[in-house]
Amino acid sequence: MDKKTLALKEKEARKRERERARRMHIDEEAERKRAAKAGFANVNNPRRSIGLTLVCAIFAFYCLFPFIYLMINATKTQADFTSTFGLGFGKSFALWDNIVGVFTYQDGIFTRWFINTILYVVLGAGGATLLAIMGGYGLAKFRFPGRKAVFAVIIGSISVPGIALAVPQFLLFAKLGLTNTPWAMIIPSLISPFGLYLMWVFSDQAVPTELLEAARVDGAGEMRTFFTVSLPLLAPGIVTTALFTIVATWNNYFLPLIMLKDSNWYPLTIGLNQWKDQASIAGGTAIQNLVITGSLITIIPLVIAFLLLQRYWQSGLAAGAVKE
């Protein structure tokens, strides 16, 4: 086949592709018009809405605005922070100097706060996720007396805000001599009524009872059935529950505020707040640039966790939405 014939065939192929695209566009427009007259839209061929797009763009900007503010102001020196517009860059780009300052200020106490937060998340949120998995699975797949009462208690626990329990928890831990210790943060974080309820609902939908019965007929014990059969099916729900408990523990503020007095056991939330209030103390130095940079560093692990686990999280939220 010579080059001229090949070029003609390629030209004809491109022409056919353009014609096919034009027909598809005409068909889509016709389908949109039919859907508009009928009062509904085809999800596979949605209508474009400028107003809805504008609303979504405004909402997206509203959600991203704090992050944008942190990124811009983390590049400023203290002098630029107080003398320039909040959404404008300063005279010098001091991001690296601010990062170094965060990790070296007060003999590197920020690193200690970061490690404390990781400790509370691993033991507290990790333990809460484990208990929620086991408790939710047991409530979903086993029948026992008092099951409905347990359900009522869980629903009631969800309706009680955590801040209402902070003072009773403080009094209890004070009697036990556990205040101002890591256990004052870890033990309360182990209880997650919402995570337990979420795993209960997810386990009921994601793990077929017939599959468990087949495993038991084959001679598998309950523990082996749970770890080899049920646990892989619960992965989306586990990730979703873990994300909720991690964020709740990472951002916890009021509980460590009343439980901890020693700055060596502070999490990041309390430590950064202490830096923020430093300027109001007699003889204190304003370090808002370090507070902003520290806040930016603090949210980076959460952003990474959400980006890496996003697909599992989304599937977990959608579980049970469609009745088969």
Side-chain angles (χ1 to χ4, degrees), residues 26-186:
I26 294 174
D27 293 341
E28 289 176 357
E29 289 294 334
E31 187 175 351
R32 290 192 185 97
K33 291 180 180 179
R34 289 194 300 270
K37 290 181 180 180
F40 62 91
N42 183 356
V43 294
N44 294 322
N45 185 21
R47 289 176 290 170
R48 295 179 177 86
S49 173
I50 297 177
L52 184 59
T53 303
L54 182 61
V55 170
C56 291
I58 294 174
F59 183 74
F61 177 77
Y62 173 79
C63 295
L64 293 174
F65 179 79
F67 187 68
I68 296 172
Y69 177 84
L70 286 178
M71 292 184 64
I72 293 175
N73 287 275
T75 64
K76 298 180 180 179
T77 62
Q78 178 61 27
D80 288 340
F81 182 82
T82 56
S83 62
T84 58
F85 178 59
L87 294 178
F89 289 94
K91 298 177 182 178
S92 59
F93 190 83
L95 177 60
W96 178 251
D97 293 336
N98 288 338
I99 294 175
V100 174
V102 166
F103 285 99
T104 57
Y105 188 72
Q106 291 183 344
D107 297 326
I109 190 67
F110 182 86
T111 304
R112 178 63 184 264
W113 295 340
F114 196 92
I115 295 174
N116 291 341
T117 305
I118 295 293
L119 174 68
Y120 301 150
V121 167
V122 171
L123 297 182
T129 303
L130 179 62
L131 292 176
I133 295 168
M134 300 177 67
Y137 175 80
L139 290 168
K141 294 304 174 184
F142 295 94
R143 300 295 181 265
F144 53 89
R147 185 169 174 268
K148 292 184 178 179
V150 174
F151 177 79
V153 170
I154 294 174
I155 295 299
S157 301
I158 294 174
S159 63
V160 177
I163 194 172
L165 302 176
V167 174
Q169 286 175 348
F170 172 77
L171 296 176
L172 175 62
F173 278 75
K175 289 289 185 181
L176 297 174
L178 295 178
T179 56
N180 205 30
T181 66
W183 298 110
M185 279 292 298
I186 295 171

